Structures are given as C-alpha cells and as structure tokens.
C-alpha cells in the first residue's frame, strides 16, 4: 500500500518516482492476477504480460510535476486485449483505496486520438502522455499519433484553446495583479506554461524561453508549499497562507512572495500574449496556401511598420542611436502596434545609455509615448519585460510588481502608474501643461518603493527623475509638488467641509496659491482615481473634488463658475407632525444627485439629533457619504448625501415616519440596528481597533474642531459614533464619511454648545466613547454617560 501521508513532503522528482514505482507494481500485479482469455481455435495465442497494454500518465504526473494532495490522471492504453476491463479494475481500485483522487480512462490508440482531435482539453492532456509501465512501443505509438493529430487539428483546436484561456482570464483575473491569486487558472499562471508547450508542439511557435520556464518552475514551487501548508489541494494563494509559504521559500515576507508571483505571472502572460499574436497571424495566412510579401512602411527614423508590428529599418544603427528605443516605442504606440520580439531583443542588447540630462528629442519621444494613452500600456510592458524601462528609469525597479494591499487597487504599483499615465492622456486638453501632467501621472506613486509616507518620499525622487529627463528647474519643482500633493484634493474633498473657508484657505496655501498647479492636481486626481478602481473614483467623489477646485479657483481669483454648495437643503416632499413651516414639524425631501440621492430632513433641534437621523438612515439601508446640519432657533435642517446599499432609492414618507418615531422614542434604533448587524453576521470581533485623530486647528466658523475616526465598517457605525459624541456633550455640525473597502474613515466637525474649546480630558472621554461605540456599545445622549451594551 502506498504511504500517501509521506508524499506531500517529498520533492517533485521523488514524488514522481514513488508514484511511478507504485503504479508499475499495480500493473504487474494486475497482469499476474488476471487469467488470460482462452485462445480461439486456429487463432493466435492470447497476449500475456504487458504485451499490448501500457499504463500512461497524463496531466501533472505526465509532466513529472505532481503536486502535494494532487490527483492522478491515468490512461490504460491497449491493443484489443479482451481482459482489459479486469486489468483496469485491478489498477483503479487500489488507487481509490489509498484515498487518492483518480481521473482515469481505458482507450485504444485510435480511441484516444479520436477524443483528442475533438476535445481541446483532452488533447492538451494527452500531449503530456508518459509511459509509467507496460508496453513501451504502444506508449510511443500513442504519443506519436497524438502529436500528429494535434498538429493536424491545430487550426481548429488552438482558437478554442485561446478562447478558453481568455474566458478564464475574464473570470479569474490576471495572476500578476491579484492579492489572492489563483496560481493555476489566473492568466499568467501554471496553465499558461502548459499552453505554451502545447502551441510549440503544434509547431506554430518556439519552445518557451528559459525565463518563461523559470517563472513556471517558481509557480510550481509556490503551489507545492501552499498545498503542504494548507494540507489540501489548494491553488488559490489566500492571504492567511502567504506568510508561511514565503518563509518556506526563503522569502522575507508575504509582500516579497506576492511580488515574485507577480513577476512570474507577468512573464508568462507576456510570452503567452506574444505567442497568441504569432499563432493568430499564422492561422490567418495558412488557409491561403502561400505566404505573401509584407509591405514595410516607414514610421520614424530607424523604425518601420512590417505587418502588424514595428521593426528596425534596414539602415538603423541601434548601437549608435540612444534615442532609438523611445522613438520606436512612441511610433509603435501611436500606431496602436507593438515592437517585434526580435527588435526588442536587439534594442536590449545593443542600445547605449541615454545621455543625462536627456536630449530634447529623447524627452519628446517619451512624452509622445505617454500621450498615446491606452496603446502605450502594452508597449511600456514590452520595454519593462526586456529591462529597457529600468535603464531609462532606474527607480522603476523599486516599484516593479510591488503589491498594493488595499481593496481599492486593481494593480501593482508600477502597472497602476502606467494606467494613470494612460488615463491622464485623455485629460491633456484640460491643462495648460500636458507634458507635466503625463510625467506627473507616471511618477505620482514612485515613493511607494521606499519606506515612509510615499508622497513625501516620492517628492525628491520625482525631482531627481525630472532633472534627469532634462526639464527646466521650474518644471522640476512643479512635478515634485504634484507628487507631494497628489492626494491633497481627493483627501480634502472627502474628509473636510469644503464650504468651510478654512478648508479652502489651507488648500490654497498648500499649493502656494498657484492656479496652474491646482489645474494639474485636479487632472492628476482624476487620472489616479480612474487607474485605481471605480470605487476609488466614483461620480460622487469626482463631484466633490470638482466643487473643491471651483472654490479654490475662486479664492485664487482665477475665472471659474460660481461654486454651488455641495450639500444644500432640498424642497420638502412630505411632512409629519406639525405643519411644515412650524418649528416643531418634521419634513423630509429626497432628490437625485451625483451617484446617489440627497436627503433633507427638517426637525426640532435637540441634543443627539444627528445620531438619531443617522440611525434612521442606517435602518433604511442608506450609506451616508456627507452630511451638514444648520440650526436656526429651535429648528435644525440636516442634509445627507446618501447611496442606497442595495439599489433601493429612499422614500420620503417612510423616512419621515421613521424620524418621527425615533424622536418620540417609539422606534428602538439600537435594538433594530443590533438585529440588522446580526442578520448580516457582522459581529464585534471583526471590528478593528479605531484610530482617532483631532484637527482642531483646521476650522473656522461654528465648529470647535474636527475628529477623525478610522475603524472597521459595520452596520449602524455612524449612528453609534455620533451617539458617542453626543453623550460626551459634542454637537455634530457636518461630516464627511468615506468607506475604504471594509474600513470606514469618518470626519466629524464638532462643537461644544458652550463654545469652549475641547480640552484634554474631554478628548480622552470622547476617544474612549468612540472606541466603545466601535465595539458595539450604543451610548444614550439623553442619559449622559450611561452606555447601553451593544
């Protein structure tokens, strides 16, 4: 009996040897234990032993790379032996008895080839066929017939295989950019290595390069360790397994592991993309029965278009032309083409270093490349894969395939910067200096490759790169400022009251009252957000940033439309209680705004009103993104920007009835929200410890200060936080609410009704109350300091 418990610990080569030896023994035992059929009178004697029967491994065992806790893919090939069913049972049942998963079949050579010629997955598996035991000649016949059939059917099967991989890529994603990558099925994963060999077997492409084979072998190592650590047949590198796998592979931490996985995935995806381009071109030409001469069209000095790619001109001198790399890349991107692989290799080997500072012609070519937008992304990836981008920008190696562990980010740092530059190319008409916008977008996160705040760290790095590129001193300063302040506008717009004059003054002072820098930062914020994700740059966020920019432009005295308030009271749609114009009445209005709705609630002013209203909105499954409260006499007008959590727009009459019940005390908000939390299984153990910050020096007007709370997002969190503030004697005048994946970043403008500043003791009490609220406690603003357990 095979010792399956010891198999996972063995290296791949030893696992293969152990399994081969055991399976060969099973075949020998099956042959010895199965009586041969009687010979027919006058017929040939029956075959004995392993004559005319072979046990063949396909899949991972056929490739000599069986993973821990993997399954066995076996084919019992025969030449019409009548007792083949008994032989098969004598092999399959002992395999099942060990607990190993088995994918098996019994075929003649003709049957196997017939299946492989119609089923692309079966054909792909049989290409790895390897004799384990039995008739070697029969196994060789199977392999030869399979290869011949695969080559003959390539024009029909390879498009199916290509579509199959593209479909999986859309479903699973790209290995290089996933925080929990599927090592096997994600695009650029192990399946790509197998597909590359299959295409080479069809004689439509070369064998995979040494770099591709190294990337494939590394992913095999990662998967082996993942399965050893998890003890199950897992292919997805989940977060909790990343650190132990990294340690087992001798890497310093999980980020280093993800980076190496990304680099391997990018290499395999890059080679696969190029291979499929070649295959598609050949399949288009083959049916014509002849090859025609491809026309060469000049594009720029030293490069020409040849077919669907850019190649070197016959008179090109790559060793004496340092600007040829970027000139060729720019020409390719402008034509929405790619550089040929051979051209890339020649440039990588022969191109001399670019003089520093860059000549104007080189800088112009680089800007033309970036200005090409989406088509520049693939060309920059070509330069990156051949090491040419790092020669131009040595700092690029620090951020290459660097993971970003944030739910908003779709890409690694380097790919995010390339995507941001592509997005910025669509905004160049909106700024006076498109060249600075393009370079600033490409460099805005360059500081993430170094310790510290990436905006601060990136400022001198960007200045150094811009100087090397040959920008004048004033432009270098602008690019450095763009990197330093690229988060200024979105952070301020989503976390501060942009109707507060102090907010506008602070932004204007930060940018040195420079309207040109403001213009560039606005476009950069749009490009950065678009390159991050739709969650990072929603219509609501774009609206807030644009409104902030309009206010700062007005403060700087530059021509701009009169800024409209972001939150302004809407017309009441329903009233309850007293008449709508009475101080004791309640009215509610709902109107559509950018990316959601605005809810206006007029109600009698009382301590803790904001918290009650927040609780009502939470019960109605409305996520609050911003809020403002204005009190005149005994009447409060609260305006909330909301977004329905499940797509159901708020109904004014339902909200009005709930507000009335909450203020009368007949609607148990705390109990209802606690039940809602239980329904969604958001228990307190999932809440992260809050981080509380005070910004008392950044406000004017009625507010005494700003308190910022970062914590794990939960149902009713805003209600509990504002209840905690009310319990400690603070009134909320406005708020900015931002949800960052599973975390919330809430900013409250608060005031003491007495007008006194918020002292140290009160801060400590407020922080303790907020921490309790995050854990689930629901303070009662009316009862004072007595908290109700949540």
């Amino acid at each position: 009996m095979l010792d399956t418990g010891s198999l996972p610990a063995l290296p791949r080569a030893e696992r293969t040897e152990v399994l081969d030896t055991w399976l060969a023994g099973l075949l020998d035992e099956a042959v010895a234990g199965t009586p041969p059929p009687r010979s027919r009178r006058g017929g040939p004697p029956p075959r004995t032993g392993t004559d005319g029967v072979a046990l063949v491994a396909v899949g991972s065992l056929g490739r000599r790379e069986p993973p821990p806790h993997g399954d066995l893919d076996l084919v019992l090939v025969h030449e019409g032996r009548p007792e083949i069913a008994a032989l098969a049972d004598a092999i399959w049942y002992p395999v099942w008895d060990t607990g190993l998963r088995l994918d098996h079949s019994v075929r003649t050579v003709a049957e196997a080839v017939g299946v492989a010629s119609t089923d692309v997955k079966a054909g792909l598996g049989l290409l790895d066929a390897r004799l384990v035991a039995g008739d070697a000649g029969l196994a060789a016949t199977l392999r030869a017939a399979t290869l011949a059939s695969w080559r003959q059917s390539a024009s029909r099967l390879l498009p199916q295989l290509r579509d199959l991989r593209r479909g999986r890529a859309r479903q699973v994603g790209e290995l290089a950019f996933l925080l929990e990558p599927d090592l096997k099925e994600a695009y650029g994963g192990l399946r790509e290595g197998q597909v590359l060999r299959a295409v080479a077997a069809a004689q439509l492409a070369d064998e995979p390069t040494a770099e591709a084979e190294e990337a494939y072998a590394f992913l095999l190592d990662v998967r082996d360790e993942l399965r050893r650590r998890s003890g199950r047949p897992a292919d997805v590198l989940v977060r909790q397994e990343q650190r132990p796998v990294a340690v087992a592979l001798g890497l310093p931490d999980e980020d280093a592991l993800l980076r190496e996985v990304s680099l391997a995935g990018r290499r395999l995806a890059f080679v696969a993309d190029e291979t499929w381009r070649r295959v598609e071109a050949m399949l288009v030409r083959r049916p014509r029965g002849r090859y025609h001469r491809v026309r060469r069209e000049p594009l720029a000095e030293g490069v020409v278009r040849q077919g669907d790619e850019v190649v070197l001109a016959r008179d090109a001198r790559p060793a004496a032309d340092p600007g040829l790399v970027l000139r060729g890349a720019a020409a390719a991107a402008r034509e929405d083409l790619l550089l040929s692989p051979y051209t890339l290799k020649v440039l990588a080997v022969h191109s001399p270093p670019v003089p520093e500072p860059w000549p104007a012609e080189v800088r112009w070519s680089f800007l033309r490349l970036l200005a090409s937008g989406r088509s520049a992304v693939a060309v920059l990836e070509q330069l990156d894969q051949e090491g040419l981008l790092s020669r131009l920008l040595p700092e690029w190696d620090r951020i290459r395939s660097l993971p970003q562990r944030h739910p908003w980010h779709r890409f690694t740092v380097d790919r995010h910067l390339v995507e941001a530059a592509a997005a910025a190319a669509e905004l160049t008409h909106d700024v006076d200096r498109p060249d600075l916008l393009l370079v600033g977008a490409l460099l805005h996160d360059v500081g993430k490759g170094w310790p510290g705040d990436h905006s601060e760290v990136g400022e001198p790095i960007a200045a150094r790169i811009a100087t090397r590129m040959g920008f004048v001193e004033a432009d270098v300063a602008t690019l450095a400022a763009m990197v330093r302040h690229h988060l200024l506008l979105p952070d301020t717009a989503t976390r501060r009251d942009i109707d507060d004059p102090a907010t506008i003054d602070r932004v204007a002072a930060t940018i040195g009252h420079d309207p040109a820098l403001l213009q560039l930062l606005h476009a950069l914020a749009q490009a950065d957000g678009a390159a991050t994700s739709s969650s990072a740059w929603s219509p609501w966020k774009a609206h807030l940033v644009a409104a902030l920019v309009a206010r700062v432009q007005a403060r700087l005295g530059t021509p701009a439309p009169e800024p409209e308030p972001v939150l302004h009271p809407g017309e009441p749609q329903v009233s309850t209680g007293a008449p709508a114009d009475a101080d004791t009445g309640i009215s509610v209005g709902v109107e559509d705004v950018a990316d959601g709705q605005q809810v206006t609630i007029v109600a009698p002013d009382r301590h803790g009103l904001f918290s009650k209203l927040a609780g009502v909105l939470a019960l109605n499954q409305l996520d609050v993104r911003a809020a403002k409260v204005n009190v005149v006499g005994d009447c409060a007008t609260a305006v909330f920007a909301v977004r329905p959590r499940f797509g159901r727009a708020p109904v004014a009459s339902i909200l009005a009835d709930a507000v009335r019940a909450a203020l009368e005390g007949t609607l148990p908000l705390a109990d209802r929200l606690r039940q809602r939390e239980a329904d969604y299984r958001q228990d307190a153990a999932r809440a992260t410890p809050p981080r509380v910050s005070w910004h008392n020096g950044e406000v004017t007007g009625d507010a005494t200060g700003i308190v910022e709370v970062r914590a794990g997002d939960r149902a009713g969190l805003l209600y509990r936080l504002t209840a905690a503030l009310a319990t400690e004697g603070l009134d909320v005048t406005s708020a900015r609410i931002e949800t960052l994946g599973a975390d919330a970043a809430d900013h409250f403008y608060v005031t003491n009704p007495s007008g006194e500043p918020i002292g140290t003791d009160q801060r400590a009490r407020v922080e303790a109350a907020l921490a309790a609220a995050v854990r689930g406690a629901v303070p009662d603003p009316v009862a004072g300091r007595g908290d109700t357990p949540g």
Side-chain angles (χ1 to χ4, degrees):
M1 175 74 69
L2 178 70
D3 181 10
T4 56
S6 63
L7 276 178
L10 297 176
R12 281 193 295 274
E14 292 185 27
R15 278 200 303 276
T16 301
E17 183 179 354
V18 168
L19 287 170
D20 281 359
T21 301
W22 176 61
L23 290 170
L26 291 182
L27 178 60
D28 289 341
E29 292 174 8
V31 169
T34 304
R38 291 184 178 183
S39 61
R40 296 179 181 177
R41 182 177 298 176
R47 294 186 175 187
T48 59
T50 58
D51 184 25
V53 63
L55 185 60
V56 172
V58 296
S60 60
L61 184 57
R63 296 187 297 271
R64 300 182 184 274
E65 53 191 41
H69 307 288
D71 53 359
L72 298 180
D73 294 321
L74 300 173
V75 180
L76 190 60
V77 188
H78 67 100
E79 289 184 328
R81 289 187 57 157
E83 78 280 22
I84 192 65
L87 288 173
D89 288 345
I91 298 172
W92 306 151
Y93 278 98
V95 175
W96 286 323
D97 289 343
T98 65
L100 292 173
R101 292 177 300 161
L102 175 64
D103 187 356
H104 61 89
S105 61
V106 180
R107 300 269 192 264
T108 64
V109 170
E111 289 170 345
V113 171
V115 171
S117 65
T118 57
D119 186 333
V120 66
K121 290 184 178 179
L124 194 64
L126 278 173
L127 289 175
D128 298 320
R130 180 179 61 83
L131 175 67
V132 172
D135 191 331
L138 181 59
T141 300
L142 171 67
R143 180 163 179 79
T146 300
L147 281 172
S149 173
W150 180 255
R151 290 164 184 162
Q152 185 177 7
S153 306
S155 60
R156 177 169 45 81
L157 293 181
L158 286 180
Q160 296 178 30
L161 183 57
R162 175 202 59 202
D163 295 342
L164 194 65
R165 291 308 301 147
R166 288 177 177 174
R168 292 297 290 165
R170 288 191 295 269
Q171 182 179 353
V172 182
E174 293 186 60
L175 183 75
F177 308 123
L178 296 172
L179 291 177
E180 292 189 326
D182 187 325
L183 299 168
K184 182 179 179 181
E185 294 294 349
Y187 192 69
L190 292 169
R191 192 70 80 187
E192 252 56 63
Q194 298 153 20
V195 168
L196 289 174
R197 293 169 187 164
V199 175
Q203 297 181 332
L204 292 177
D206 295 333
E207 290 290 334
T209 62
E211 293 89 348
E213 291 289 7
E214 289 174 7
Y216 180 80
F218 175 75
L219 294 181
L220 283 178
D221 291 341
V222 175
R223 185 176 69 170
D224 282 1
E225 288 302 332
L226 170 64
R227 292 191 171 198
R228 286 193 188 102
R229 303 294 153 181
S230 64
R232 56 190 178 86
D235 293 321
V236 179
L237 186 59
V238 294
R239 183 166 300 204
Q240 62 265 30
E241 299 291 349
Q242 289 172 8
R243 179 171 287 274
V245 170
V247 172
L249 293 175
L251 296 170
D253 55 33
E254 56 266 50
D255 281 353
L257 172 64
L258 271 190
R259 188 173 192 175
E260 293 299 324
V261 168
S262 174
L263 289 169
R266 285 174 69 173
R267 169 54 64 176
L268 286 171
F270 177 76
V271 176
D273 288 342
E274 178 56 40
T275 298
W276 284 122
R277 282 193 293 271
R278 297 280 170 188
V279 168
E280 289 166 359
M282 293 187 71
L283 292 179
V284 167
R285 290 198 298 264
R286 267 191 173 184
R288 299 176 183 173
R290 62 185 179 86
Y291 291 91
H292 63 283
R293 186 171 181 177
V294 179
R295 179 184 173 190
R296 291 167 65 91
E297 176 186 349
L299 294 179
E301 183 185 351
V303 293
V304 300
R305 174 175 183 162
Q306 181 173 286
D308 293 330
E309 58 190 14
V310 174
V311 302
L312 294 177
R314 293 186 177 91
D315 59 353
R317 300 171 59 202
D321 188 351
L324 183 58
V325 171
L326 285 177
R327 195 162 61 246
R334 298 292 286 186
E335 296 294 323
D336 197 17
L337 300 172
L338 292 172
L339 295 163
S340 79
Y342 178 74
T343 295
L344 275 172
K345 295 292 185 185
V346 170
L347 292 173
V349 172
H350 296 290
S351 292
V354 176
E356 295 183 12
W358 291 4
E361 186 263 343
V362 173
R363 185 171 64 256
W364 182 77
S365 294
F366 188 60
L367 291 171
R368 277 183 53 121
L369 171 60
L370 297 181
S372 301
R374 293 301 316 164
S375 60
V377 175
V379 177
L380 285 167
E381 180 69 8
Q382 285 190 302
L383 299 184
D384 189 24
Q385 287 293 322
E386 290 299 332
L388 291 165
L389 190 56
S390 292
R391 289 191 204 174
L392 296 165
L393 304 173
E395 297 83 359
W396 198 257
D397 276 336
R398 294 291 293 263
I399 56 172
R400 193 163 182 259
S401 281
L402 187 65
Q404 304 197 78
R405 291 188 179 274
H406 195 292
W408 275 5
H409 278 284
R410 295 176 294 166
F411 299 113
T412 53
V413 175
D414 58 336
R415 179 59 178 269
H416 167 71
L417 293 180
V418 171
E419 293 283 340
E426 301 177 6
L427 303 170
T428 52
H429 295 297
D430 299 338
V431 297
D432 297 331
R433 290 295 304 273
D435 56 338
L436 299 185
L437 173 61
L438 292 169
V439 176
L442 186 70
L443 301 180
H444 73 272
D445 276 349
V446 72
K448 288 185 176 179
W450 283 260
D453 183 295
H454 75 281
S455 299
E456 296 178 6
V457 175
E459 182 180 10
I461 299 172
R464 184 168 66 248
I465 294 173
T467 301
R468 185 190 310 131
M469 289 179 174
F471 284 99
V472 298
E473 186 176 347
D475 291 346
V476 170
T478 299
L479 285 167
M482 290 175 68
V483 173
R484 176 68 180 87
H485 302 301
H486 71 273
L487 295 175
L488 174 67
L489 297 179
D491 280 359
T492 301
T494 56
R495 301 175 185 179
R496 296 291 181 267
D497 184 355
I498 64 176
D499 291 325
D500 185 346
T503 299
I504 307 306
D505 288 341
R506 189 175 68 259
V507 172
T510 300
I511 64 173
H513 298 85
D514 183 352
L517 179 57
L518 177 67
Q519 182 189 67
L520 287 167
L521 288 175
H522 186 199
L524 177 55
Q526 297 174 70
D528 186 14
T532 303
S533 66
S534 58
S535 300
W537 193 252
S538 63
W540 166 250
K541 196 167 189 176
H543 171 62
L544 283 180
V545 171
L548 172 61
V549 170
R551 284 156 174 73
V552 178
Q553 285 177 328
R555 179 60 51 87
L556 297 177
T558 55
E562 186 66 24
E564 289 288 332
V566 174
L567 294 176
H568 55 92
E571 293 296 322
Q573 294 175 333
V574 65
S575 302
T576 182
D581 59 347
D583 290 343
T584 57
I586 296 171
S587 67
V588 176
V590 177
E591 59 183 314
D592 292 332
V593 295
D595 194 27
Q597 286 79 34
Q598 177 180 280
V599 176
T600 302
I601 303 174
V602 179
D605 184 34
R606 66 175 64 181
H607 190 57
L609 174 65
F610 189 101
S611 178
K612 298 286 188 185
L613 300 182
V616 168
L617 296 176
L619 277 182
N620 283 269
Q621 299 175 333
L622 300 173
D623 291 333
V624 177
R625 295 177 298 175
K628 182 179 283 292
V629 179
N630 185 44
V631 179
V632 178
D634 294 330
C635 183
T637 300
V639 186
F640 296 88
V642 301
R643 179 167 47 197
R645 178 163 291 192
F646 300 109
R648 293 187 292 271
V651 178
S653 59
I654 294 175
L655 293 178
D657 289 341
V659 170
R660 175 185 52 77
L663 295 182
E664 291 176 353
T666 58
L667 175 61
L669 284 172
D671 292 341
R672 293 283 299 277
L673 285 170
R674 189 182 304 115
Q675 183 59 49
R676 173 68 52 79
E677 197 169 51
D679 291 342
Y680 287 94
R681 299 180 181 179
Q682 291 182 309
D683 50 35
R686 292 180 55 191
T688 58
R691 190 177 74 197
V692 180
S693 305
W694 296 86
H695 308 274
N696 287 3
E698 300 182 13
V699 292
T700 59
D702 296 334
T704 308
I706 303 172
V707 57
E708 175 185 347
V709 183
R710 290 177 177 267
D713 190 31
R714 300 169 62 194
L717 177 64
L718 179 60
Y719 164 66
R720 291 195 299 275
L721 292 177
T722 51
L725 293 172
T727 300
E728 298 305 325
L730 297 179
D731 287 336
V732 177
T733 61
S734 66
R736 285 288 184 272
I737 313 301
E738 189 174 16
T739 302
L740 312 169
D743 296 325
D746 298 347
H747 303 77
F748 303 101
Y749 283 68
V750 295
T751 183
N752 267 324
S754 63
E756 297 178 357
I758 302 173
T760 303
D761 292 342
Q762 189 177 14
R763 282 192 186 188
R765 293 196 304 270
V766 168
E767 291 174 9
L770 290 171
V774 170
R775 291 194 300 270
V778 183
D780 184 351
V782 178
R785 296 296 307 279
D787 289 353
T788 303

